[in-house]
Each structure stands twice: as C-alpha cells, then as structure tokens.
Amino acid sequence: MNSKNIDLLEAKDDVYNSFRLIENIFKIMDTSSPEVYGNLTSLYSEVGMALCHNFRNKLGDIFGNYFIDR
C-alpha cells in the first residue's frame, strides 16, 4: 500500500473517531428518562442515530470507492 493510501486510511479513521463523539451524544439522549426529560429527547435521539448511520454509510461509500477505483 502506498503512502497516499495510508494517509487516506488515517484520514478516514480520524473522521470516524471525531464523529463518534456526536454519535455518543445521541446514544446518551436515547437513555434519558422520559419522566424527567419527556419524549422529545428520545425522538431527537432517533433522528440523530438515523443521521449518524447515513453519514457512516456515505463515508464508507466515499472512501471505499476511492480505494476500489485506484
């Protein structure tokens, strides 16, 4: 593997790791008590987790296509 591919793999890992913090916020929101915080927090969590899933898939497509095409 050449150094350009290694750099891209490191960049991919950096993006995933940076994004993990945002994803964790939504996971925490999902465990929030509806009695204390209401159902709205849970609904926001569902939306956030769906967006996280789509984002991860898109990043996988982008980076995956790069390595396949080159």
Side-chain angles (χ1 to χ4, degrees), residues 43-67:
L43 294 174
Y44 287 154
S45 172
E46 282 185 51
V47 171
M49 291 304 293
L51 292 172
C52 290
H53 178 75
N54 291 341
F55 181 74
R56 284 187 179 278
N57 286 339
K58 188 63 175 175
L59 281 178
D61 291 345
I62 291 168
F63 282 104
N65 289 337
Y66 181 83
F67 291 112

Side-chain angles (χ1 to χ4, degrees), residues 11-29:
K12 179 183 174 184
D13 288 342
D14 288 345
V15 170
Y16 276 120
N17 289 332
S18 296
F19 187 70
R20 187 166 300 150
L21 297 172
I22 296 168
E23 192 172 29
N24 286 340
I25 289 172
F26 292 119
K27 287 178 182 179
I28 290 168
M29 288 171 67

